[in-house]
């Protein structure tokens, strides 16, 4: 049934493309369904912006040289069917944890739509969505301990959501009202919560890098001092 639907969908869209192409200044387009690594490419993007170059997939995380590989490969863990390419990547998640991650991704997407519309209507002054980055945020947060500090940026809302930050608190912060944890003193989407070990977002880009390094160094020194004091006592 699914295969029949795919064939019907591709055929219908291709026919629609041909009809539109008959009109003046309307480019033709095509749809492709691919199963394998060698077949699947980001055709339209690479043809338009990278000319003859094609973006390859890779299953290895490694530092590469532009002299060895002129086009940066796309790292992936699963294929286009959602199956693990390397069985060692299978984390054997519990159904409860997998469901929680999925629910948070869907919730984040829906919250984005509401708050983005609010910004376009002039109800709030500023908003950036997390569209397409939900899994990266929530998946990485799920791999941390709940007490690990997170230094986020505009598009790490999913990390805070996954740790249980209430939806109403997101709304209070974006609207800058009296119920906001920060008292309405921050720009929208500049979330922060000491309870959830999420450091308040700063507007300047990349400030999180030296801040996180400094915190890690402080924690390392603190743990050494703590062990030393216990030894002395």
């Amino acid at each position: 049934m699914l295969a029949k639907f795919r064939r019907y969908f591709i055929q219908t869209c291709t026919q629609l493309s041909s009809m539109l192409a008959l009109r003046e200044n309307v480019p033709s387009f095509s749809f492709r369904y691919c199963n394998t690594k060698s077949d699947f490419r980001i055709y339209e993007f690479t043809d338009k912006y990278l000319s003859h170059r094609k973006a390859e997939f890779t299953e290895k995380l490694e530092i590469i040289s532009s002299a060895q590989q002129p086009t940066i490969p796309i790292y992936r863990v699963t294929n286009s069917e959602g199956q693990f390419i390397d069985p060692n990547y299978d984390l054997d998640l519990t159904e409860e944890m997998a469901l929680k991650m999925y629910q948070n991704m869907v919730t984040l997407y829906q919250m984005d739509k509401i708050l983005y519309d609010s910004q376009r209507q002039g109800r709030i002054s500023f908003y950036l969505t997390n569209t397409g980055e939900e899994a990266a945020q929530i998946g990485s947060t799920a791999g941390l301990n709940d007490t690990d500090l997170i230094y986020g940026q505009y598009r790490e809302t999913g990390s805070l959501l996954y740790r249980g930050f209430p939806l109403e608190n997101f709304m209070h912060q974006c609207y800058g009202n009296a119920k906001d944890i920060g008292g309405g003193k921050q720009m929208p989407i500049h979330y922060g919560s000491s309870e959830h070990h999420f450091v308040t977002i700063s507007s300047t880009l990349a400030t999180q890098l030296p801040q996180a390094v400094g915190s890690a160094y402080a924690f390392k020194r603190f743990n050494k001092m703590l062990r030393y004091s216990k030894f002395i006592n």
Side-chain angles (χ1 to χ4, degrees):
M1 179 64 70
L2 183 59
K4 290 182 179 179
F5 172 76
R6 286 170 178 158
R7 287 196 296 269
Y8 172 77
F9 177 76
I10 294 173
Q11 182 181 4
T12 303
C13 290
T14 303
Q15 291 175 353
L16 177 62
S17 171
S18 300
M19 293 172 61
L20 291 174
L22 295 176
R23 300 183 180 182
E24 188 177 359
N25 298 326
V26 178
S28 177
F29 57 90
S30 61
F31 288 81
R32 299 176 177 87
Y33 179 76
C34 308
N35 289 309
T36 64
K37 171 184 174 181
S38 59
D39 289 339
F40 187 78
R41 299 289 186 273
I42 307 178
Y43 287 99
E44 287 73 19
F45 179 83
T46 53
D47 287 343
K48 183 175 181 180
Y49 297 104
L50 300 179
S51 184
H52 64 283
R53 299 179 181 178
K54 300 294 183 180
E56 299 286 347
F57 281 114
T58 181
E59 290 76 48
K60 297 180 180 179
L61 280 177
E62 56 185 354
I63 299 175
I64 63 173
S65 169
S66 58
Q68 299 173 340
Q69 199 162 357
T71 303
I72 298 176
I74 302 171
Y75 175 73
R76 68 174 184 174
V77 174
T78 61
N79 59 22
S80 58
E81 297 294 329
Q83 301 166 336
F84 285 100
I85 298 171
D86 184 344
N88 294 325
Y89 281 123
D90 192 345
L91 302 178
D92 193 24
L93 297 175
T94 63
E95 182 178 351
E96 180 182 4
M97 187 174 186
L99 185 60
K100 178 184 177 182
M101 294 169 71
Y102 180 73
Q103 287 176 334
N104 276 273
M105 285 190 284
V106 174
T107 301
L108 177 58
Y109 178 74
Q110 295 299 329
M111 185 179 76
D112 268 348
K113 289 169 59 178
I114 294 171
L115 289 173
Y116 178 77
D117 287 345
S118 298
Q119 191 276 329
R120 302 308 293 172
Q121 294 167 7
R123 299 174 185 272
I124 59 178
S125 61
F126 182 75
Y127 195 77
L128 294 174
T129 65
N130 303 269
T131 306
E133 301 181 19
E134 298 92 343
Q137 300 171 25
I138 293 172
S140 58
T141 305
L144 299 174
N145 295 322
D146 290 339
T147 55
D148 287 338
L149 271 182
I150 293 179
Y151 284 85
Q153 240 299 319
Y154 303 129
R155 291 186 169 93
E156 275 80 45
T157 307
S159 299
L160 193 52
L161 180 65
Y162 183 81
R163 287 192 169 179
F165 195 69
L167 289 175
E168 54 266 29
N169 284 5
F170 284 111
M171 303 299 149
H172 294 325
Q173 200 285 324
C174 286
Y175 278 84
N177 59 34
K179 294 183 179 180
D180 173 34
I181 294 176
K185 299 181 178 68
Q186 276 275 24
M187 287 177 60
I189 69 171
H190 285 55
Y191 310 112
S193 173
S194 57
E195 178 186 351
H196 299 89
H197 303 277
F198 190 95
V199 180
T200 302
I201 294 171
S202 57
S203 295
T204 311
L205 296 173
T207 56
Q208 296 77 14
L209 296 176
Q211 292 167 356
V213 170
S215 292
Y217 182 59
F219 284 137
K220 184 177 181 179
R221 293 196 62 184
F222 175 77
N223 288 333
K224 283 186 177 180
M225 292 172 61
L226 188 62
R227 287 195 297 269
Y228 180 74
S229 64
K230 288 182 178 178
F231 176 77
I232 295 298
N233 294 333

